Amino acid sequence: MEKEKITILGATGSIGKNALDVIAMHPERFEVEAITGGNNIELLISLAQQYRPKYVAIANEDYYNQLKEACNHSDIQVFAGQKGLKEVAHIPVDRTVAAISGISGLGVLMEAIPFCNYLLLASKEALITAWPIIKQEANKYQTQILPIDSEHNSLFQLMQTDMLPDNWIEKIILTASGGPFYGHNYEDLSNVTPAQACRHPNWSMGAKISLDSATLMNKGLEIVEAAYFFNVSPKKLDILVHKQSVVHAMLYYCNGNIKAGLNYPDMRIPIAYCLHYPQCVEEHQLPRLDLAEIGELHFEQVDYTCFPSPKLMFNAIEQGRHAVIVANAANEITTHAFLDLKIGFHDIYKINEKITDIIAAQFTVNDCQSIESVLDIDTYSKMRTNKLLQQY
Ligand code: NDP
Ligand code: MG
């Protein structure tokens, strides 16, 4: 069997490293064609030495010489900057893993679509801000998009078994771990630190998504992700807090049946699913779920008083994708401001809500029909959020 060539955009991140880990478990099936990083030059060099891709690119051009020097005695071709990332995205491969965090992953992801058969999509900010444009490009080049995000990966699997007419589905539940603070009251959270907020109980992830999990904004973004990816009304989507992160999503049928997607909380499981799709390949090294050991599964309603962020995103979907872009942009700024100790935990939501309220009203859904216009609204919303932050 010929090996499949894989490109990983965002190889130095949590998803990127997990993808490389799964690839290394199947040296007979996969070879790493290209990897990219943002700023973490040491890790990118070490991954290049370990996985021996043909191409490697670093977004920060300042590191070009360092990367070039490190790859001097190999056949690895080196690129840098946005232009370099684009060149790497244009190398034809079987599968591309899109795992750059934030909307900054959008441009290169779009560039990659015509050059891969499968796009394994983790970058949720890119997905929610530009889904119709991404989908149209994928249709044009017959590239199949597979969702890596665990909840959507479960839903994708649940929906594989039947052709589901829309009216068969009564409700779709995404579960939320609740993050490190679930169960605390509002006042308790006023003085939490970035270190506490990023200490996720079940998953080891990048800083932004870990903080998004702590505010439950991550679940808000995922509601949008599910609404767009599966083309379902937000009215049919709901969230249950499930601290164990064992059940990832549930499909409620109109006849009272429920299908649930379960697996051990380890991102390598959905990543492996996408790397092998449509085949189901035995994974000896990935953990199994022992339900007898777990004994009980717990679910509870979301406490929206303490964690209002998902509501912001439910409202944004109703308003239109322009509102989703604004809310996402505000959140990218406020999460970094919190991580930089500039604002408190509750300010994240307050500012996101205020900016979405003011800025989304200035646009309509017709204003975000191209990647350029999506990025324009994003840039403008970020500028306005930064301006508001000066008051803090
Ligand atoms: P990380 O922060 O761990 O990694 C982000 C990656 O993107 C790194 O490789 C980083 O490079 C790169 N990057 C960041 N900014 C830029 C830029 N401007 N240009 C080029 N590269 C850039 O994030 P995660 O891996 O946790 O998450 C990645 C995406 O996947 C996010 O959208 C997240 O929401 C989604 N996701 C993540 C899950 C998880 O378990 N981690 C689960 C489901 C979805 P460097 O570090 O070298 O600067
Ligand atoms: Mg998820």
Side-chain angles (χ1 to χ4, degrees):
M1 193 178 80
E2 209 174 312
K3 288 186 190 182
E4 285 205 23
K5 293 185 194 324
I6 315 287
T7 284
I8 304 188
L9 307 171
T12 48
S14 160
I15 291 287
K17 284 182 286 176
N18 276 317
L20 286 168
D21 201 26
V22 177
I23 288 169
M25 294 172 191
H26 302 276
E28 74 297 346
R29 295 182 75 94
F30 302 122
E31 63 188 6
V32 183
E33 185 74 356
I35 57 174
T36 79
N39 276 302
N40 194 342
I41 185 67
E42 281 82 18
L43 180 57
L44 189 65
I45 288 173
S46 118
L47 293 175
Q49 284 162 351
Q50 188 180 350
Y51 292 95
R52 297 270 151 201
K54 292 202 188 76
Y55 309 90
V56 56
I58 181 98
N60 186 335
E61 283 172 312
D62 295 346
Y63 295 119
Y64 176 75
N65 287 337
Q66 197 178 336
L67 186 58
K68 182 91 185 142
E69 207 164 296
C71 298
N72 240 348
H73 302 292
S74 69
D75 298 332
I76 305 173
Q77 288 189 44
V78 172
F79 300 87
Q82 284 309 311
K83 200 165 154 269
L85 257 59
K86 194 169 153 181
E87 287 197 51
V88 162
H90 288 178
I91 292 153
V93 285
D94 297 286
R95 296 176 199 244
T96 292
V97 179
I100 293 177
S101 57
I103 201 172
S104 52
L106 178 57
V108 63
L109 175 159
M110 287 298 294
E111 295 291 336
I113 290 175
F115 299 94
C116 57
N117 298 327
Y118 293 95
L119 182 79
L120 282 50
L121 184 48
S123 302
K124 62 185 72 174
E125 298 87 352
L127 189 161
I128 64 169
T129 51
W131 176 249
I133 312 167
I134 295 173
K135 183 75 182 136
Q136 194 181 20
E137 189 76 349
N139 288 347
K140 184 170 164 192
Y141 292 97
Q142 290 170 357
T143 300
Q144 183 164 5
I145 302 180
L146 302 171
I148 284 185
D149 209 346
S150 55
E151 298 77 3
H152 309 78
N153 187 271
S154 273
L155 273 180
F156 182 81
Q157 296 189 45
L158 293 172
M159 290 188 178
Q160 285 298 298
T161 42
D162 309 291
M163 291 298 291
L164 292 176
D166 194 39
N167 60 355
W168 287 18
I169 302 173
E170 193 169 85
K171 192 162 63 169
I172 291 175
I173 298 283
L174 304 184
T175 64
S177 70
F181 303 137
Y182 207 79
H184 292 235
N185 64 39
Y186 193 86
E187 288 70 34
D188 286 349
L189 300 180
S190 301
N191 296 314
V192 293
T193 64
Q196 290 170 319
C198 290
R199 207 173 298 136
H200 196 278
N202 305 341
W203 308 93
S204 161
M205 309 183 286
K208 189 210 171 237
I209 183 173
S210 298
L211 177 54
D212 282 344
S213 299
T215 58
L216 260 70
M217 183 60 163
N218 183 48
K219 217 42 60 179
L221 302 178
E222 290 184 354
I223 286 290
V224 186
E225 205 180 338
Y228 289 174
F229 191 95
F230 298 105
N231 192 22
V232 286
S233 158
K235 293 190 175 61
K236 288 193 176 183
L237 291 164
D238 206 353
I239 305 167
L240 277 180
V241 172
H242 168 56
K243 290 185 180 175
Q244 294 152 298
S245 298
V246 159
V247 177
H248 303 286
M250 288 178 271
L251 207 52
Y252 285 53
Y253 285 77
C254 59
N255 59 3
N257 287 299
I258 302 172
K259 272 202 237 165
L262 290 80
N263 57 45
Y264 190 92
D266 183 327
M267 283 310 294
R268 293 175 304 170
I269 296 177
I271 291 170
Y273 176 87
C274 293
L275 281 168
H276 296 298
Y277 180 87
Q279 291 183 46
C280 180
V281 172
E282 193 168 354
E283 295 288 354
H284 302 288
Q285 297 180 53
L286 294 183
R288 300 295 190 262
L289 195 58
D290 185 340
L291 284 172
E293 192 184 311
I294 292 168
E296 289 174 11
L297 294 173
H298 299 278
F299 300 92
E300 53 189 300
Q301 295 294 343
V302 179
D303 171 2
Y304 286 113
T305 313
C306 243
F307 303 95
S309 293
K311 289 279 183 212
L312 178 67
M313 298 317 289
F314 271 111
N315 292 338
I317 311 176
E318 296 285 1
Q319 239 180 302
R321 192 161 46 83
H322 57 294
V324 170
I325 299 168
V326 175
N328 178 69
N331 187 57
E332 286 198 20
I333 296 296
T334 51
T335 46
H336 286 110
F338 173 80
L339 293 172
D340 293 342
L341 302 171
K342 289 183 186 143
I343 57 172
F345 187 77
H346 292 309
D347 296 327
I348 299 173
Y349 170 75
K350 283 185 203 158
I351 298 170
N352 290 349
E353 192 204 23
K354 194 164 185 179
I355 289 290
T356 310
D357 235 26
I358 300 168
I359 310 296
Q362 300 176 18
F363 298 98
T364 74
V365 92
N366 295 327
D367 296 322
C368 48
Q369 300 303 317
S370 68
I371 293 296
E372 293 70 29
S373 55
V374 169
L375 294 176
D376 282 348
I377 299 179
D378 174 74
T379 305
Y380 177 70
S381 309
K382 284 177 173 164
M383 184 271 288
R384 292 290 300 263
T385 314
N386 275 320
K387 216 164 174 187
L388 184 61
L389 276 175
Q390 288 168 4
Q391 298 170 13
Y392 282 76

